mmCIF file of all heavy atoms in Angstrom:
data_model
loop_
_atom_site.group_PDB
_atom_site.id
_atom_site.type_symbol
_atom_site.label_atom_id
_atom_site.label_comp_id
_atom_site.label_asym_id
_atom_site.label_seq_id
_atom_site.Cartn_x
_atom_site.Cartn_y
_atom_site.Cartn_z
ATOM 1 N N LEU A 1 114.003 17.489 91.244
ATOM 2 C CA LEU A 1 113.187 17.678 90.052
ATOM 3 C C LEU A 1 114.027 18.072 88.842
ATOM 4 O O LEU A 1 113.666 17.757 87.700
ATOM 5 C CB LEU A 1 112.106 18.719 90.334
ATOM 6 C CG LEU A 1 111.068 18.264 91.372
ATOM 7 C CD1 LEU A 1 110.129 19.395 91.744
ATOM 8 C CD2 LEU A 1 110.287 17.059 90.869
ATOM 9 N N VAL A 2 115.154 18.729 89.073
ATOM 10 C CA VAL A 2 116.093 18.999 87.984
ATOM 11 C C VAL A 2 116.624 17.685 87.430
ATOM 12 O O VAL A 2 116.747 17.504 86.211
ATOM 13 C CB VAL A 2 117.246 19.905 88.471
ATOM 14 C CG1 VAL A 2 118.408 19.899 87.480
ATOM 15 C CG2 VAL A 2 116.752 21.335 88.674
ATOM 16 N N GLN A 3 116.955 16.755 88.314
ATOM 17 C CA GLN A 3 117.419 15.446 87.862
ATOM 18 C C GLN A 3 116.338 14.727 87.055
ATOM 19 O O GLN A 3 116.626 14.106 86.032
ATOM 20 C CB GLN A 3 117.834 14.597 89.062
ATOM 21 C CG GLN A 3 119.099 15.082 89.753
ATOM 22 C CD GLN A 3 119.480 14.192 90.923
ATOM 23 O OE1 GLN A 3 118.674 13.952 91.827
ATOM 24 N NE2 GLN A 3 120.704 13.699 90.909
ATOM 25 N N VAL A 4 115.101 14.816 87.508
ATOM 26 C CA VAL A 4 113.998 14.181 86.784
ATOM 27 C C VAL A 4 113.847 14.797 85.401
ATOM 28 O O VAL A 4 113.696 14.087 84.395
ATOM 29 C CB VAL A 4 112.683 14.323 87.586
ATOM 30 C CG1 VAL A 4 111.492 13.871 86.753
ATOM 31 C CG2 VAL A 4 112.759 13.517 88.876
ATOM 32 N N GLU A 5 113.901 16.126 85.332
ATOM 33 C CA GLU A 5 113.799 16.817 84.041
ATOM 34 C C GLU A 5 114.894 16.374 83.070
ATOM 35 O O GLU A 5 114.676 16.278 81.863
ATOM 36 C CB GLU A 5 113.903 18.333 84.240
ATOM 37 C CG GLU A 5 112.669 18.985 84.799
ATOM 38 C CD GLU A 5 112.844 20.487 84.909
ATOM 39 O OE1 GLU A 5 113.993 20.974 84.857
ATOM 40 O OE2 GLU A 5 111.835 21.189 85.042
ATOM 41 N N ALA A 6 116.078 16.114 83.628
ATOM 42 C CA ALA A 6 117.222 15.736 82.790
ATOM 43 C C ALA A 6 117.213 14.258 82.412
ATOM 44 O O ALA A 6 118.097 13.794 81.678
ATOM 45 C CB ALA A 6 118.520 16.072 83.518
ATOM 46 N N GLY A 7 116.238 13.509 82.920
ATOM 47 C CA GLY A 7 116.164 12.085 82.612
ATOM 48 C C GLY A 7 117.091 11.238 83.448
ATOM 49 O O GLY A 7 117.297 10.054 83.145
ATOM 50 N N ALA A 8 117.660 11.819 84.491
ATOM 51 C CA ALA A 8 118.565 11.086 85.379
ATOM 52 C C ALA A 8 117.778 10.441 86.512
ATOM 53 O O ALA A 8 116.662 10.855 86.831
ATOM 54 C CB ALA A 8 119.618 12.032 85.946
ATOM 55 N N VAL A 9 118.366 9.431 87.103
ATOM 56 C CA VAL A 9 117.760 8.820 88.281
ATOM 57 C C VAL A 9 117.987 9.764 89.459
ATOM 58 O O VAL A 9 119.131 10.063 89.804
ATOM 59 C CB VAL A 9 118.393 7.447 88.583
ATOM 60 C CG1 VAL A 9 117.795 6.865 89.862
ATOM 61 C CG2 VAL A 9 118.182 6.501 87.415
ATOM 62 N N PRO A 10 116.917 10.268 90.080
ATOM 63 C CA PRO A 10 117.108 11.250 91.145
ATOM 64 C C PRO A 10 117.730 10.643 92.391
ATOM 65 O O PRO A 10 117.488 9.481 92.718
ATOM 66 C CB PRO A 10 115.685 11.749 91.422
ATOM 67 C CG PRO A 10 114.795 10.674 90.917
ATOM 68 C CD PRO A 10 115.503 10.016 89.782
ATOM 69 N N ASP A 11 118.542 11.442 93.039
ATOM 70 C CA ASP A 11 119.144 11.066 94.313
ATOM 71 C C ASP A 11 118.020 10.860 95.328
ATOM 72 O O ASP A 11 117.178 11.735 95.526
ATOM 73 C CB ASP A 11 120.083 12.200 94.765
ATOM 74 C CG ASP A 11 120.839 11.874 96.036
ATOM 75 O OD1 ASP A 11 120.200 11.482 97.028
ATOM 76 O OD2 ASP A 11 122.078 12.042 96.053
ATOM 77 N N ASP A 12 117.995 9.704 95.974
ATOM 78 C CA ASP A 12 116.915 9.391 96.912
ATOM 79 C C ASP A 12 116.818 10.407 98.042
ATOM 80 O O ASP A 12 115.717 10.732 98.502
ATOM 81 C CB ASP A 12 117.100 7.994 97.503
ATOM 82 C CG ASP A 12 116.711 6.889 96.529
ATOM 83 O OD1 ASP A 12 115.972 7.184 95.568
ATOM 84 O OD2 ASP A 12 117.159 5.744 96.723
ATOM 85 N N ARG A 13 117.965 10.926 98.496
ATOM 86 C CA ARG A 13 117.938 11.915 99.587
ATOM 87 C C ARG A 13 117.240 13.190 99.136
ATOM 88 O O ARG A 13 116.499 13.806 99.913
ATOM 89 C CB ARG A 13 119.353 12.238 100.039
ATOM 90 C CG ARG A 13 120.129 11.082 100.651
ATOM 91 C CD ARG A 13 121.587 11.469 100.803
ATOM 92 N NE ARG A 13 122.189 11.785 99.512
ATOM 93 C CZ ARG A 13 123.371 12.382 99.362
ATOM 94 N NH1 ARG A 13 124.064 12.747 100.433
ATOM 95 N NH2 ARG A 13 123.854 12.618 98.154
ATOM 96 N N LEU A 14 117.469 13.581 97.891
ATOM 97 C CA LEU A 14 116.845 14.792 97.375
ATOM 98 C C LEU A 14 115.372 14.566 97.053
ATOM 99 O O LEU A 14 114.517 15.404 97.366
ATOM 100 C CB LEU A 14 117.591 15.266 96.119
ATOM 101 C CG LEU A 14 119.066 15.611 96.312
ATOM 102 C CD1 LEU A 14 119.693 15.993 94.985
ATOM 103 C CD2 LEU A 14 119.232 16.751 97.320
ATOM 104 N N LEU A 15 115.083 13.427 96.446
ATOM 105 C CA LEU A 15 113.694 13.142 96.088
ATOM 106 C C LEU A 15 112.818 13.014 97.329
ATOM 107 O O LEU A 15 111.625 13.344 97.296
ATOM 108 C CB LEU A 15 113.622 11.870 95.249
ATOM 109 C CG LEU A 15 112.282 11.570 94.581
ATOM 110 C CD1 LEU A 15 111.833 12.741 93.704
ATOM 111 C CD2 LEU A 15 112.363 10.276 93.775
ATOM 112 N N ALA A 16 113.402 12.554 98.441
ATOM 113 C CA ALA A 16 112.636 12.450 99.687
ATOM 114 C C ALA A 16 112.108 13.807 100.129
ATOM 115 O O ALA A 16 111.028 13.896 100.735
ATOM 116 C CB ALA A 16 113.506 11.841 100.787
ATOM 117 N N ALA A 17 112.843 14.883 99.831
ATOM 118 C CA ALA A 17 112.392 16.224 100.208
ATOM 119 C C ALA A 17 111.153 16.628 99.427
ATOM 120 O O ALA A 17 110.328 17.405 99.911
ATOM 121 C CB ALA A 17 113.512 17.237 99.967
ATOM 122 N N HIS A 18 111.000 16.123 98.204
ATOM 123 C CA HIS A 18 109.795 16.372 97.411
ATOM 124 C C HIS A 18 108.657 15.448 97.838
ATOM 125 O O HIS A 18 107.516 15.875 97.976
ATOM 126 C CB HIS A 18 110.109 16.163 95.933
ATOM 127 C CG HIS A 18 108.890 16.087 95.059
ATOM 128 N ND1 HIS A 18 108.119 17.192 94.771
ATOM 129 C CD2 HIS A 18 108.302 15.034 94.427
ATOM 130 C CE1 HIS A 18 107.102 16.825 93.995
ATOM 131 N NE2 HIS A 18 107.199 15.521 93.770
ATOM 132 N N ARG A 19 108.995 14.172 98.054
ATOM 133 C CA ARG A 19 107.966 13.189 98.388
ATOM 134 C C ARG A 19 107.410 13.380 99.799
ATOM 135 O O ARG A 19 106.199 13.350 100.012
ATOM 136 C CB ARG A 19 108.547 11.784 98.289
ATOM 137 C CG ARG A 19 108.793 11.269 96.897
ATOM 138 C CD ARG A 19 109.534 9.941 96.975
ATOM 139 N NE ARG A 19 109.573 9.253 95.687
ATOM 140 C CZ ARG A 19 110.415 8.275 95.418
ATOM 141 N NH1 ARG A 19 111.280 7.866 96.340
ATOM 142 N NH2 ARG A 19 110.394 7.693 94.227
ATOM 143 N N ARG A 20 108.314 13.513 100.740
ATOM 144 C CA ARG A 20 107.917 13.577 102.150
ATOM 145 C C ARG A 20 108.626 14.743 102.836
ATOM 146 O O ARG A 20 109.572 14.550 103.609
ATOM 147 C CB ARG A 20 108.228 12.261 102.860
ATOM 148 C CG ARG A 20 107.410 11.093 102.313
ATOM 149 C CD ARG A 20 107.335 9.946 103.292
ATOM 150 N NE ARG A 20 106.384 8.953 102.849
ATOM 151 C CZ ARG A 20 105.681 8.156 103.662
ATOM 152 N NH1 ARG A 20 105.848 8.246 104.973
ATOM 153 N NH2 ARG A 20 104.827 7.279 103.179
ATOM 154 N N PRO A 21 108.174 15.961 102.550
ATOM 155 C CA PRO A 21 108.827 17.137 103.161
ATOM 156 C C PRO A 21 108.724 17.106 104.681
ATOM 157 O O PRO A 21 107.800 16.518 105.248
ATOM 158 C CB PRO A 21 108.059 18.321 102.577
ATOM 159 C CG PRO A 21 106.759 17.752 102.112
ATOM 160 C CD PRO A 21 107.043 16.349 101.702
ATOM 161 N N ARG A 22 109.688 17.766 105.286
ATOM 162 C CA ARG A 22 109.789 17.791 106.748
ATOM 163 C C ARG A 22 109.272 19.131 107.262
ATOM 164 O O ARG A 22 109.790 20.184 106.920
ATOM 165 C CB ARG A 22 111.254 17.611 107.143
ATOM 166 C CG ARG A 22 111.530 17.641 108.627
ATOM 167 C CD ARG A 22 113.014 17.649 108.894
ATOM 168 N NE ARG A 22 113.653 18.890 108.448
ATOM 169 C CZ ARG A 22 114.751 19.402 108.975
ATOM 170 N NH1 ARG A 22 115.350 18.781 109.959
ATOM 171 N NH2 ARG A 22 115.268 20.509 108.511
ATOM 172 N N ALA A 23 108.225 19.088 108.062
ATOM 173 C CA ALA A 23 107.742 20.296 108.732
ATOM 174 C C ALA A 23 108.496 20.470 110.049
ATOM 175 O O ALA A 23 109.030 19.508 110.604
ATOM 176 C CB ALA A 23 106.243 20.204 108.986
ATOM 177 N N LEU A 24 108.530 21.702 110.565
ATOM 178 C CA LEU A 24 109.352 22.010 111.738
ATOM 179 C C LEU A 24 108.552 22.689 112.856
ATOM 180 O O LEU A 24 108.914 23.766 113.326
ATOM 181 C CB LEU A 24 110.521 22.912 111.325
ATOM 182 C CG LEU A 24 111.464 22.376 110.249
ATOM 183 C CD1 LEU A 24 112.496 23.434 109.879
ATOM 184 C CD2 LEU A 24 112.153 21.106 110.731
ATOM 185 N N PRO A 25 107.463 22.062 113.333
ATOM 186 C CA PRO A 25 106.695 22.719 114.393
ATOM 187 C C PRO A 25 107.466 22.890 115.699
ATOM 188 O O PRO A 25 107.293 23.896 116.391
ATOM 189 C CB PRO A 25 105.477 21.812 114.579
ATOM 190 C CG PRO A 25 105.902 20.484 114.027
ATOM 191 C CD PRO A 25 106.840 20.794 112.907
ATOM 192 N N ALA A 26 108.319 21.935 116.041
ATOM 193 C CA ALA A 26 109.090 22.081 117.280
ATOM 194 C C ALA A 26 110.040 23.268 117.182
ATOM 195 O O ALA A 26 110.183 24.057 118.132
ATOM 196 C CB ALA A 26 109.865 20.800 117.574
ATOM 197 N N ALA A 27 110.698 23.421 116.025
ATOM 198 C CA ALA A 27 111.593 24.568 115.837
ATOM 199 C C ALA A 27 110.805 25.869 115.828
ATOM 200 O O ALA A 27 111.245 26.882 116.385
ATOM 201 C CB ALA A 27 112.369 24.410 114.532
ATOM 202 N N GLY A 28 109.633 25.866 115.195
ATOM 203 C CA GLY A 28 108.808 27.071 115.176
ATOM 204 C C GLY A 28 108.403 27.511 116.563
ATOM 205 O O GLY A 28 108.457 28.712 116.896
ATOM 206 N N GLN A 29 108.008 26.557 117.390
ATOM 207 C CA GLN A 29 107.630 26.892 118.766
ATOM 208 C C GLN A 29 108.838 27.382 119.567
ATOM 209 O O GLN A 29 108.728 28.309 120.361
ATOM 210 C CB GLN A 29 107.004 25.673 119.436
ATOM 211 C CG GLN A 29 105.659 25.279 118.837
ATOM 212 C CD GLN A 29 105.210 23.913 119.305
ATOM 213 O OE1 GLN A 29 104.851 23.734 120.476
ATOM 214 N NE2 GLN A 29 105.246 22.930 118.420
ATOM 215 N N ALA A 30 109.986 26.761 119.337
ATOM 216 C CA ALA A 30 111.197 27.175 120.044
ATOM 217 C C ALA A 30 111.594 28.597 119.661
ATOM 218 O O ALA A 30 111.944 29.423 120.523
ATOM 219 C CB ALA A 30 112.337 26.206 119.742
ATOM 220 N N LEU A 31 111.543 28.907 118.366
ATOM 221 C CA LEU A 31 111.896 30.254 117.906
ATOM 222 C C LEU A 31 110.907 31.284 118.442
ATOM 223 O O LEU A 31 111.296 32.379 118.860
ATOM 224 C CB LEU A 31 111.935 30.282 116.379
ATOM 225 C CG LEU A 31 113.103 29.535 115.747
ATOM 226 C CD1 LEU A 31 112.851 29.291 114.264
ATOM 227 C CD2 LEU A 31 114.398 30.319 115.947
ATOM 228 N N ALA A 32 109.625 30.935 118.440
ATOM 229 C CA ALA A 32 108.610 31.854 118.962
ATOM 230 C C ALA A 32 108.838 32.140 120.441
ATOM 231 O O ALA A 32 108.671 33.270 120.907
ATOM 232 C CB ALA A 32 107.219 31.264 118.750
#
């Protein structure tokens, strides 16, 4: 989003975290 604010083309790897965030239920269950 910093890249977007600056008018730059955002890095696809970074933008993916905004578009399609990754939930971690398997890790949560493992930690519990």
Side-chain angles (χ1 to χ4, degrees):
L1 294 173
V2 165
Q3 291 181 306
V4 171
E5 284 182 343
V9 177
D11 184 308
D12 284 341
R13 296 169 300 167
L14 300 177
L15 191 56
H18 167 72
R19 287 173 169 163
R20 295 201 171 209
R22 179 188 67 152
L24 302 175
Q29 293 168 70
L31 289 164

